[in-house]
Amino acid sequence: MSLAFRPSSFRVLRRTPIRRYASTSSVNDLNTGQSLRIFAVSTGIVIGSTLFAVYYADSRAAIHRYVVPPLSRLVLDAEKGHKFALGVLKSGLGPRDQGRDDEILQVELWDKKLANPVGLAAGFDKDGEAVNGLFDLGFSWVEVGSVTPRPQAGNPKPRVFHLTEDNAVINRYGFPSKGATSILTRLQARYTSLSSPETHSNASLREGKILSVNLGKNKSSPPDSLGDFLVGVRTFGPLADVLVINVSSPNTPGLRNLQSRGMLIELLDAVKRERDALQIDRELPKLLVKIAPDLSVGELQDVAEAVRETNFDGLIVSNTTIQRPPSLKSLNRSETGGLSGPPLKALTLNALKTIRPLLPASVPIVGCGGISTGDDAIEFARAGASTVQIYTSLAYDGAGAPRRIKDEITLRLKETNLTWMDIVKQGQEKAWQRPRKDSAPIDTASGLTESIQEGANRLAAMGERLIEVLKEDSLHIADKVQHDVSKE
């Protein structure tokens, strides 16, 4: 039968394709290949994430200097960038200093030994939120604050400005603070979080490190009142290694007037008596006063006399400046507030060199202002600083700034075969020394009487000698006359 006369059903059957099912082995091969690809991708993600986590965790990683800081300046304003960095460190997810401090970096400060000379200045962690995270960056000294007794908002925003071309910052924060009670609660929680905090000799709860609290005044308080500082001493004395009296912020009206000699003596004396009255089961906190770099030579002399007279424990030189060096390039240079960063360095060094010879070596000075390299730190030590603090360089150079500065100091010290303390002692050779009694000016009645008596004795001796000379001359003349007469 021809194809033309075949039933349609038959033709349909012939045109229907025959399905061929894959064998079990083929399906298994396909599944195995997909599984291998998924495994490889997953493994790559895990390994990559692990490597990145290890890389990120090291504060020396380039990302923390060349990516994060410039990117934050690009997408965030200065204050939001500050808060973002603080939040990361507060979370416990921040990077850490993975290096090790060389022994030549050790600092002898009062009866303490610090692991290195690089500390963090007040202003970065105003409310004590990220103390542990900041210590993890390798700082030997973390300063919280400024803290005011009562909460206050500070000055209106915007109040922080980058001067990127100058690696500097101008701020007019005005002591924004959550208040002493809030910050005290946070520090107490940190203290009690350890199983046996009493085993630590330092309030920092870290060996070879110091926790400091910077005390400020509420803007609403009378300019010449001392009460805010005394409240701060009572509140934070039990939880701090050091208390800093801040009389130098340019952003609180009237505060800098407390640097005058009479008011400063009254303030430091009252603070010291309040500190001495603390009843705590460990060493009393040391007391430092933080001054401005804008003081004249006479004003620095007044500060030094106040520190000597009250036996204060130390000094921080210095806070931000209200001056605007002509070298500034940024358009933000005209903003009102305190200038920090490298442009501040010359002013701070000048103040340090002026006041070091006015204070004994037993009164250490903390150098602060414009320090961004190891060479800067050594220059401050040669000028008489025992240790240094940074702030603005952390904002520009990132989380690795403390480690980088420490490594640069170590390199320079090894090149000269010196230790940090060797440099410090060289700087302290210029320190003030109490005049000896035999060279002291006469300022008592008994001393004046003794001096007059001594002068009278000398005058009597001179008179007796003159009489002897006159007698000798008379005898000589008489002999000559007698000789002449005999010749005649």
Side-chain angles (χ1 to χ4, degrees):
M1 185 169 56
S2 67
L3 291 174
F5 295 97
R6 290 182 180 180
S8 59
S9 60
F10 181 77
R11 291 197 299 270
V12 171
L13 288 173
R14 290 293 300 269
R15 288 197 295 267
T16 301
I18 299 174
R19 294 185 178 180
R20 298 179 180 272
Y21 293 95
S23 64
T24 302
S25 61
S26 299
V27 173
N28 290 338
D29 290 343
L30 178 61
N31 291 339
T32 301
Q34 291 177 341
S35 298
L36 288 174
R37 284 195 294 273
I38 293 172
F39 177 76
V41 171
S42 301
T43 302
I45 292 174
V46 171
I47 293 175
S49 299
T50 302
L51 290 175
F52 179 77
V54 172
Y55 172 77
Y56 168 84
D58 192 335
S59 65
R60 296 169 294 185
I63 189 175
H64 297 304
R65 185 178 188 185
Y66 300 110
V67 177
V68 175
L71 186 61
S72 68
R73 289 195 296 272
L74 182 64
V75 301
L76 300 171
D77 66 41
E79 185 164 353
K80 288 180 180 177
H82 179 182
K83 289 183 177 179
F84 172 76
L86 193 63
V88 172
L89 293 170
K90 175 184 176 181
S91 70
L93 300 177
R96 295 171 178 247
D97 180 8
Q98 306 288 352
R100 187 172 183 177
D101 294 343
D102 196 292
E103 289 185 358
I104 62 177
L105 292 177
Q106 286 187 355
V107 182
E108 296 171 12
L109 196 65
W110 303 297
D111 57 348
K112 301 179 182 295
K113 276 194 176 182
L114 303 186
N116 67 76
V118 182
L120 177 69
F124 186 85
D125 189 3
K126 298 179 183 297
D127 297 310
E129 300 176 88
V131 174
N132 290 333
L134 290 165
F135 275 129
D136 289 340
L137 293 184
F139 289 112
S140 66
W141 178 316
V142 171
E143 192 164 319
V144 172
S146 289
V147 181
T148 57
R150 300 176 301 281
Q152 64 179 28
N155 291 326
K157 301 177 183 179
R159 52 193 180 181
V160 191
F161 307 90
H162 286 128
L163 281 68
T164 306
E165 298 88 342
D166 308 291
N167 287 338
V169 169
I170 290 177
N171 91 81
R172 51 173 180 264
Y173 268 120
F175 286 170
S177 176
K178 294 181 180 178
T181 301
S182 173
I183 299 166
L184 175 65
T185 300
R186 188 172 290 115
L187 293 181
Q188 286 175 331
R190 176 179 177 268
Y191 187 80
T192 57
S193 65
L194 293 182
S195 57
S196 54
E198 65 279 356
T199 61
H200 294 270
S201 59
N202 296 333
S204 66
L205 308 181
R206 305 281 184 110
E207 191 65 31
K209 299 191 176 186
I210 279 179
L211 176 63
S212 173
V213 178
N214 186 292
L215 305 178
K217 285 188 62 172
N218 280 110
K219 188 178 292 187
S220 59
S221 299
D224 58 349
S225 67
L226 312 181
D228 285 0
F229 294 111
L230 303 184
V231 169
V233 172
R234 290 194 298 268
T235 304
F236 295 103
L239 292 172
D241 297 302
V242 173
L243 296 174
V244 178
I245 308 303
N246 188 346
V247 293
S248 52
S249 170
N251 302 313
T252 299
L255 183 66
R256 287 192 168 190
N257 294 336
L258 292 175
Q259 295 174 113
S260 63
R261 186 179 184 277
M263 295 187 71
L264 188 59
I265 289 176
E266 182 182 357
L267 170 62
L268 300 189
D269 183 64
V271 165
K272 189 169 183 292
R273 283 188 279 108
E274 195 71 32
R275 188 276 311 267
D276 292 345
L278 292 174
Q279 300 293 324
I280 55 179
D281 56 0
R282 62 177 187 83
E283 183 183 3
L284 293 173
K286 300 297 183 181
L287 297 173
L288 275 68
V289 59
K290 187 169 186 175
I291 65 172
D294 307 309
L295 299 178
S296 66
V297 172
E299 289 169 327
L300 288 171
Q301 290 173 341
D302 288 344
V303 170
E305 288 180 12
V307 170
R308 294 201 309 262
E309 186 168 327
T310 57
N311 291 317
F312 229 60
D313 296 313
L315 194 68
I316 297 181
V317 181
S318 65
N319 212 316
T320 57
T321 179
I322 57 175
Q323 299 184 50
R324 297 294 182 265
S327 61
L328 294 178
K329 303 173 184 177
S330 174
L331 295 177
N332 284 333
R333 64 183 180 273
S334 59
E335 292 290 346
T336 301
L339 172 69
S340 61
L344 175 60
K345 177 185 168 185
L347 293 171
T348 302
L349 266 175
N350 184 59
L352 174 60
K353 291 177 180 178
T354 300
I355 204 167
R356 177 70 278 177
L358 304 176
L359 292 171
S362 59
V363 177
I365 298 177
V366 178
C368 178
I371 298 169
S372 56
T373 68
D375 287 338
D376 290 340
I378 290 176
E379 189 173 1
F380 271 70
R382 292 191 189 282
S386 297
T387 183
V388 298
Q389 291 181 334
I390 68 171
Y391 179 176
T392 304
S393 58
L394 180 66
Y396 278 94
D397 293 340
R403 170 46 56 190
R404 181 174 54 79
I405 293 174
K406 291 188 292 184
D407 287 345
E408 291 173 356
I409 296 173
T410 301
L411 179 62
R412 292 290 182 269
L413 292 177
K414 288 185 175 180
E415 288 175 350
T416 55
N417 198 30
L418 295 172
T419 67
W420 174 262
M421 286 309 301
D422 290 335
I423 303 293
V424 168
K425 289 174 182 177
Q426 290 176 6
Q428 290 180 343
E429 290 177 356
K430 311 176 187 70
W432 177 86
Q433 295 183 2
R434 188 176 300 279
R436 295 182 303 176
K437 290 183 179 180
D438 57 358
S439 61
I442 300 171
D443 57 0
T444 63
S446 59
L448 181 60
T449 302
E450 292 176 1
S451 181
I452 292 174
Q453 184 64 46
E454 183 179 356
N457 293 338
R458 290 181 179 179
L459 184 61
M462 291 173 62
E464 292 176 359
R465 177 58 181 162
L466 179 61
I467 292 172
E468 291 178 0
V469 170
L470 291 175
K471 285 181 177 179
E472 291 176 359
D473 289 345
S474 298
L475 292 173
H476 178 69
I477 292 172
D479 290 342
K480 185 177 181 181
V481 170
Q482 185 177 1
H483 178 70
D484 291 343
V485 170
S486 62
K487 286 178 67 178
E488 292 176 357

